[in-house]
Amino acid sequence: MARESLADKTPNQPEAKSLRCRLTWFAGLWFGGVTALGVVGYTIRAWLGLS
């Protein structure tokens, strides 16, 4: 039984485009997470009257 490699299942696309897409998603999710934590932290401080 022949084994199919993962490369056979993915469409033909340049690796640079895939890497750029992954880095863009990573950066977007990272900044989104940092922003969400900042908003939650500020809300809790405001709710407790610390700011």
Side-chain angles (χ1 to χ4, degrees):
M1 210 168 147
R3 298 182 82 189
E4 295 180 13
S5 68
L6 186 60
D8 294 337
K9 295 181 181 180
T10 57
N12 293 334
Q13 62 180 357
E15 287 296 322
K17 183 178 179 184
S18 177
L19 181 61
R20 178 175 291 180
C21 184
R22 288 184 185 197
L23 286 176
T24 302
W25 271 103
F26 174 77
L29 290 174
W30 190 83
F31 281 118
V34 169
T35 302
L37 286 176
V39 169
V40 168
Y42 180 78
T43 303
I44 290 174
R45 287 179 47 149
W47 181 57
L48 293 175
L50 298 175
S51 58

